[in-house]
Amino acid sequence: MENNSIERCILCNVETQYRVSDHIDYRTGYIEGVGQLCLHCYNNNPDGKKIVVKVSEKTILDTPNDASLGGVVRNEYYKLKGL
Ligand SMILES: [Zn+2]
């Protein structure tokens, strides 16, 4: 059953102790808009969570060069940080 599958860490891809159906309020290591981290990845960041910026494949393909893509990624980071 898809909805009951085990969540994998978005950074290292190991299985976490959570299932997709587990409510995020009762999880440790879940970052809204990003996903579930395993406890190892969650705990091995100085501020307790690593900022992960997702860039869609479409954005990469639609952005003409690396300099522009850098700007797009930076804007996504600022958005994530609420800046
Ligand atoms: Zn991990």
Side-chain angles (χ1 to χ4, degrees):
M1 200 175 188
E2 176 94 9
N3 199 30
N4 210 25
S5 60
I6 300 215
E7 283 270 26
R8 288 183 173 273
C9 174
I10 53 152
L11 291 181
C12 71
N13 204 39
V14 302
E15 291 187 343
T16 68
Q17 69 269 46
Y18 300 109
R19 295 198 173 264
V20 173
S21 57
D22 292 339
H23 197 285
I24 60 172
D25 284 355
Y26 303 105
R27 299 187 193 187
T28 298
Y30 186 87
I31 302 174
E32 271 191 78
V34 176
Q36 184 66 51
L37 298 176
C38 71
L39 289 181
H40 177 79
C41 289
Y42 185 72
N43 290 325
N44 280 297
N45 291 288
D47 60 353
K49 58 183 176 181
K50 190 170 215 156
I51 299 296
V52 177
V53 179
K54 286 196 285 189
V55 179
S56 72
E57 186 177 21
K58 185 179 187 316
T59 299
I60 293 169
L61 296 177
D62 288 353
T63 306
N65 58 60
D66 290 352
S68 297
L69 185 59
V72 170
V73 171
R74 189 177 298 278
N75 283 338
E76 287 302 314
Y77 170 75
Y78 289 150
K79 249 193 270 173
L80 195 66
K81 298 287 280 185
L83 299 172

